[in-house]
């Protein structure tokens, strides 16, 4: 993270891309490759409920992954 600094107040957090990640849904929420994620309501409903996606995301100050966009991968 130090290589991506500065970010925080006045600076936007880095935007990252992960290709072909596996999205799954459980009663506890959404996860990508078994790592819990925050999926904003604006991205729901998903084009498909599970499977592989290209994901653009950022990391929240508390360390949570916040998804910015999801594109299904065939």
């Amino acid at each position: 993270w130090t290589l991506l600094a500065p970010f925080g107040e006045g600076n936007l957090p880095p935007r990252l891309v992960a290709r072909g990640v596996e999205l799954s849904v459980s009663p506890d929420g959404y996860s990508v490759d078994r790592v819990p994620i925050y999926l904003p309501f604006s991205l729901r409903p998903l084009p498909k409920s599970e499977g592989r996606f290209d994901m653009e995301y950022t990391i929240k100050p508390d360390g949570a992954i916040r998804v910015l966009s999801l594109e299904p991968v065939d």
Side-chain angles (χ1 to χ4, degrees):
W1 283 116
T2 57
L3 296 175
L4 301 174
F7 51 91
E9 189 155 337
N11 297 300
L12 296 175
R15 296 172 78 120
L16 307 164
V17 173
R19 301 208 184 276
V21 296
E22 186 174 341
L23 177 74
S24 58
V25 183
S26 72
D28 295 330
Y30 294 92
S31 64
V32 168
D33 294 334
R34 293 184 249 160
V35 176
I37 61 169
Y38 170 71
L39 187 64
F41 288 110
S42 62
L43 296 178
R44 303 176 203 176
L46 295 171
K48 59 182 186 176
S49 61
E50 294 187 349
R52 296 254 173 222
F53 290 81
D54 288 344
M55 176 178 79
E56 182 181 7
Y57 66 99
T58 190
I59 307 295
K60 295 168 56 172
D62 64 0
I65 296 171
R66 183 180 193 282
V67 178
L68 302 172
S69 70
L70 281 172
E71 294 293 326
V73 176
D74 293 328

